[in-house]
Amino acid sequence: MVSSIYGYGLGYLSLCFASAQLLHTAVAFSNYNNAITRSRNNAPRPHATCMAMKPPVADADLLPEIRDEILEREGELTAWEDSVEILSDLFDEDDAAEIYLADAFRWKAWASASDMMRKYQRPVLPEASKISEGIAWLKEGPLGMSDDQIRNNIQQYPGIYLREPNVFYKKVMGAAPRKYRDDEVLKQLIGDDPNILQVTFNCDGEGCQSECGSCWVTYENRLPTLPNF
C-alpha cells in the first residue's frame, strides 16, 4: 500500500514538473511572437515620394492581347489610347502608363486568367475625361499632390488613384471617425499610407458589414502615431 502511494506521489510530482516546463515554453514562445509583431508594426512605411518603381516586364507581354480584346469588343481603341496618352505625361518608361491602366481597370486580371476563368472577370473601358479630372483633382484639390506623389500612388494602387480618387476621398471623409474628418489630417495619413483612400467603411455602431479590409474599426488599430491625436 505504501509502495503504491509512493509511486502515485512520484507520478504526480513528475506531471507537475512537466506542466511547469510546458508553461515556461509557452510563455517564451508568446513573448517571441509579440516581439516579432511589434517589430513588424514599427517598421517604417515607404513614403509617398520614394523612388519610382518600374512595372514588371511580364506585364508588358499582356498588352497586345488586351488591345486586341478591346478592339474586338468596342470596335476601336480611341478611348483606351486617349487614356494612355494622358498618363504618359507621368510615366517615361515604355508601356508603363498602359500597364497601370490595364491593372486599374481589370484588364490585366482578365489577360492573366485562364480561358475558363476569364468569363468571371469584369474589365471595363476607362474614360479619358475622368482620368484627366482625377489627376487634376489630386494636384489641385485638398491633397495638393506633386507629380512624384501621384506617380508613386498610381504605381502602388492604380485601382484607387486612376478610378475617380475624388469619389474615394468623399467616401473616406464620410466613413472616418470624426477626429480624422479634416483635409490636413487625411493628407498627412495618405502621405504615410496611400491605401487609406480605400478605407470607406465604418462598422462602429452599425454592426459588421464584412468589409474588414476597408473598415476604419480595423484600420485605426494600424494607424501611425500622429501628433495631437
Side-chain angles (χ1 to χ4, degrees), residues 13-167:
L13 288 175
S14 297
L15 180 61
C16 290
F17 180 78
S19 298
Q21 288 292 97
L22 287 173
L23 179 60
H24 176 76
T25 302
V27 171
F29 184 76
S30 177
N31 289 338
Y32 175 78
N33 278 344
N34 287 337
I36 293 295
T37 300
R38 286 194 298 271
S39 175
R40 289 173 177 171
N41 288 342
N42 292 331
R45 302 183 184 184
H47 194 269
T49 57
C50 68
M51 186 177 294
M53 301 174 291
K54 292 184 178 180
V57 176
D59 290 349
D61 296 336
L62 303 174
L63 295 179
E65 187 175 12
I66 290 173
R67 297 185 196 111
D68 289 344
E69 181 66 18
I70 293 174
L71 185 60
E72 182 176 337
R73 294 188 185 194
E74 304 296 329
E76 62 177 14
L77 287 171
T78 304
W80 181 260
E81 292 172 344
D82 288 348
S83 300
V84 172
E85 182 65 26
I86 291 170
L87 290 183
S88 296
D89 292 337
L90 290 171
F91 298 99
D92 297 328
E93 302 90 348
D94 292 341
D95 298 324
E98 194 168 9
I99 289 171
Y100 293 123
L101 193 69
D103 194 350
F105 290 88
R106 303 295 299 167
W107 288 101
K108 176 183 171 181
W110 173 86
S112 301
S114 66
D115 290 341
M116 183 179 69
M117 298 303 294
R118 283 183 176 181
K119 62 183 178 181
Y120 299 108
Q121 300 297 326
R122 296 291 182 269
V124 296
L125 198 64
E127 295 182 35
S129 60
K130 288 187 176 180
I131 291 177
S132 181
E133 290 169 5
I135 292 175
W137 179 85
L138 289 171
K139 292 180 180 180
E140 303 164 7
L143 298 180
M145 290 184 179
S146 66
D147 284 351
D148 284 343
Q149 289 174 311
I150 295 172
R151 184 183 303 110
N152 185 70
N153 292 350
I154 289 174
Q155 289 169 332
Q156 293 185 74
Y157 305 105
I160 296 175
Y161 288 88
L162 288 180
R163 300 190 68 167
E164 299 182 289
N166 53 316
V167 175

Side-chain angles (χ1 to χ4, degrees), residues 153-198:
N153 292 350
I154 289 174
Q155 289 169 332
Q156 293 185 74
Y157 305 105
I160 296 175
Y161 288 88
L162 288 180
R163 300 190 68 167
E164 299 182 289
N166 53 316
V167 175
F168 279 101
Y169 186 82
K170 185 177 180 179
K171 290 180 179 179
V172 169
M173 287 289 275
R178 188 172 300 277
K179 62 183 177 180
Y180 303 119
R181 295 179 191 175
D182 180 88
D183 290 334
E184 288 302 316
V185 171
L186 278 180
K187 183 176 181 178
Q188 185 176 356
L189 293 176
I190 291 170
D192 181 81
D193 180 12
N195 192 39
I196 199 171
L197 273 193
Q198 61 86 38

